Amino acid sequence: MQESPTQTDKPLAGRREWIGLCVLSIACLIYSMDLSVLFLAMPAIVADLDPSASELLWMNDIYGFMVAGFLVTMGALGDRVGRRRVLLIGAFAFGVASALAAFSSTAQQLILSRALLGIAGATIAPSTLSLVVNLFQDEAERNRAISIWGTAFALGGLVGPLVGGVLLQYFHWGSVFLINIPIMLALLLAAPFLLPEYKNEDGGTLDLLSVILSLATVLPIIYGFKHMAVDGFKVGQMLPIAVGILIGTLFVRRQKSLAHPLIDLALFRIPAFTASLIVNLAGVFFVFGVFLLQNLFLQLVLGLSPLEAALWSVPSALVFTIMSFQAYRFTNHLGAVKTVLLGLIVNAIGTAAMAAAAYTESLVGVLGASMLIGLGFVPVILTTTGLIVGTAPPERAGSASAISETSAEFGGALGVAVLGSLGTLVYRTTMDGADLSGLSHTQVSSVTATLAGAVETAKAAGQIAPVWLDTARAGFSLGFALCCTLASVTLLCLAAVTRRIYASAHIDEGVAPPH
């Protein structure tokens, strides 16, 4: 069994390292915030730029697409030319792209600016995480640092709409992008003094064909699953996914033939690395999917307004935030493996409770279950992230960080698409037996497609509570409950499999192996 490092094996961090962590965490928060900051700004943008329906979709999605597509490339580039250098170049580009987005006068300009923001943003997540690994040599301190980094990442998604709403109340919609500029400027000024440089001297040059193949793999798959989540499952949506998988096969074959591959496939032969990556992806998969259904449930089944739903979600958001700060204590006390396994079990209990609450349409039950999910999910994600970067060789930490972030992007997109499609299938099956007599053909199509369509049809017809609306809400609740049940069973099975894999890696009682 591999021994865990003791507190005296590695030097402890000083004030410079902790201040550096704050700088990295703020940069990560801004990167994460830009994933959601446009949610409330879209009405103002539509009124100002008059985009088409297609342009409106790309305004929302292009940032996440570019981030997902370029994460692996930027992580590998940081390993080769220097992680701090790539971070600084990315921060400068992020600031410039933010200014271009803020002053866009056409929809096309805003889409292009958001694309550039995504490419620049892809430098931030892997660079900041890999630099955290460089800053903190002591394993216990590294666990705490990754917890703080993870908190910043999670808070970005939570505060994005809030910050956007406050700014839109008083300023032009471009202000949601202008707030990025002073943060990036501070990063550019502070990083050279606070952050160490690290690069792999033997990393070789970046293979451009591998970069192209990686983009052609990730972008079509993300595109297909995102549209599946929006429009429901359609056979045509499998085409871009199939194309991405086919190109991905070519990408893997090329990596095997290169002396300096974009992704070191040898990382996947490390049991702890692969197991942690799978757990990380599965955790994000179920949380994104379940919380999407939860938000719809609160508004469409229980009838809460968007503001009321947001306010009722504050307790679970607080649990996520507090656990992000405290997760390192569990890892340091229990060890990485026990923390992951216990977190998976708690997460499974939480999703089981969510299934019961959804089926009985209980507001208190749903909120309590979401808090329980947060208790299990946060330590799992942060600890597996630490294992992913901790089990990789130090010269490949940038690539390992990028793989971790890419798996999270895939997990989120897959969870929303797959669980959303499953819930929709159950809903439509339930509505097949509903009595919709008296409705026009157009109204029937709307009512049987989604619960949102049913609610809007009832409002337009002036009917407060038609019988078929009760059936629709019950069908949605049943689909939500079945998705949560599937999540619970899968997480328990994953815990059993992961325990065996971690046991074979001989790290049962320790934290991430030393570099």
Side-chain angles (χ1 to χ4, degrees):
M1 176 174 173
Q2 189 170 14
E3 294 183 0
S4 302
T6 63
Q7 294 288 86
T8 57
D9 285 336
K10 301 290 183 178
L12 297 179
R15 180 181 300 176
R16 177 173 174 266
E17 285 76 17
W18 289 107
I19 296 175
L21 173 65
C22 291
V23 172
L24 292 173
S25 297
I26 293 172
C28 189
L29 183 146
I30 293 295
Y31 146 78
S32 176
M33 194 172 72
D34 264 52
L35 290 167
S36 59
V37 76
L38 273 195
F39 287 174
L40 295 179
M42 292 314 298
I45 292 174
V46 169
D48 193 14
L49 303 183
D50 191 26
S52 66
S54 176
E55 288 170 338
L56 190 62
L57 183 66
W58 281 110
M59 283 179 191
N60 272 313
D61 287 348
I62 193 66
Y63 180 80
F65 284 164
M66 292 296 103
V67 166
F70 279 90
L71 275 169
V72 170
T73 297
M74 295 305 179
L77 187 64
D79 286 338
R80 286 165 170 78
V81 305
R83 294 167 190 165
R84 186 180 67 187
R85 179 180 298 176
V86 168
L87 177 61
L88 292 177
I89 293 172
F92 177 79
F94 201 89
V96 172
S98 296
L100 293 175
F103 296 108
S104 294
S105 57
T106 67
Q108 293 85 354
Q109 288 179 11
L110 181 56
I111 292 170
L112 177 60
S113 300
R114 288 277 287 169
L116 295 175
L117 268 173
I119 296 172
T123 68
I124 294 175
S127 295
T128 52
L129 181 54
S130 56
L131 283 169
V132 167
V133 174
N134 294 139
L135 281 171
F136 296 91
Q137 300 299 310
D138 178 75
E139 296 293 343
E141 288 189 332
R142 183 183 300 152
N143 289 333
R144 186 173 188 180
I146 290 175
S147 292
I148 294 172
W149 176 90
T151 302
F153 186 86
L155 280 177
L158 292 172
V159 306
L162 177 62
V163 171
V166 172
L167 291 173
L168 290 166
Q169 184 71 25
Y170 301 102
F171 305 104
H172 180 259
W173 59 261
S175 61
V176 301
F177 297 109
L178 291 178
I179 59 172
N180 298 339
I181 296 175
I183 301 298
M184 293 301 122
L185 180 60
L187 176 61
L188 289 169
L189 294 174
F193 302 100
L194 296 174
L195 305 178
E197 182 59 286
Y198 186 95
K199 65 178 179 179
N200 180 12
E201 300 294 345
D202 301 319
T205 59
L206 200 65
D207 180 57
L208 293 181
L209 181 56
S210 292
V211 171
I212 294 171
L213 289 174
S214 72
L215 291 174
T217 297
V218 174
L219 294 180
I221 295 176
I222 292 288
Y223 177 86
F225 278 112
K226 276 185 175 287
H227 279 265
M228 191 183 299
V230 173
D231 304 324
F233 177 78
K234 296 178 182 177
V235 176
Q237 293 160 343
M238 295 304 296
L239 180 59
I241 296 173
V243 170
I245 292 173
L246 178 61
I247 297 175
T249 303
L250 299 176
F251 172 77
V252 170
R253 292 181 62 180
R254 180 160 183 82
Q255 302 314 293
K256 291 179 178 178
S257 66
L258 295 175
H260 302 287
L262 190 65
I263 290 181
D264 186 359
L265 299 179
L267 291 174
F268 293 91
R269 292 196 290 270
I270 303 173
F273 177 91
T274 304
S276 300
L277 197 65
I278 292 172
V279 171
N280 197 288
L281 187 149
V284 175
F285 176 99
F286 286 116
V287 162
F288 270 62
V290 167
F291 280 3
L292 166 72
L293 294 172
Q294 175 188 308
N295 289 331
L296 295 173
F297 177 88
L298 292 176
Q299 296 178 59
L300 300 177
V301 176
L302 300 184
L304 302 181
S305 69
L307 178 59
E308 288 172 335
L311 292 175
W312 277 107
S313 299
V314 167
S316 59
L318 288 175
V319 170
F320 270 70
T321 302
I322 293 170
M323 283 303 299
S324 295
F325 277 114
Q326 299 299 320
Y328 77 95
R329 297 184 186 275
F330 292 93
T331 308
N332 292 342
H333 181 68
L334 299 175
V337 174
K338 288 183 179 179
T339 299
V340 171
L341 297 178
L342 181 61
L344 286 172
I345 293 171
V346 172
N347 209 348
I349 295 172
T351 50
M354 183 72 81
Y359 186 74
T360 58
E361 299 184 5
S362 167
L363 172 60
V364 174
V366 166
L367 297 180
S370 66
M371 295 170 71
L372 194 57
I373 289 172
L375 286 174
F377 171 77
V378 176
V380 167
I381 293 302
L382 295 180
T383 304
T384 52
T385 298
L387 282 168
I388 290 167
V389 297
T391 52
E395 67 274 9
R396 305 298 292 172
S399 293
S401 302
I403 292 170
S404 174
E405 293 299 315
T406 305
S407 76
E409 292 285 342
F410 268 116
L414 287 170
V416 168
V418 174
L419 295 186
S421 297
L422 176 59
T424 300
L425 176 63
V426 174
Y427 172 82
R428 291 175 179 173
T429 302
T430 302
M431 293 305 292
D432 285 343
D435 181 8
L436 302 178
S437 56
L439 298 179
S440 67
H441 177 72
T442 301
Q443 289 175 322
V444 169
S445 298
S446 179
V447 166
T448 56
T450 64
L451 178 56
V455 171
E456 289 303 316
T457 299
K459 287 181 180 178
Q463 296 175 283
I464 298 175
V467 174
W468 52 260
L469 184 56
D470 290 336
T471 304
R473 284 172 169 156
F476 182 91
S477 299
L478 177 61
F480 185 15
L482 288 176
C483 288
C484 292
T485 301
L486 173 65
S488 182
V489 173
T490 304
L491 288 168
L492 287 175
C493 294
L494 184 62
V497 173
T498 303
R499 182 178 180 275
R500 294 179 64 89
I501 296 174
Y502 280 147
S504 68
H506 303 295
I507 56 171
D508 296 72
E509 300 298 331
V511 290
H515 286 286

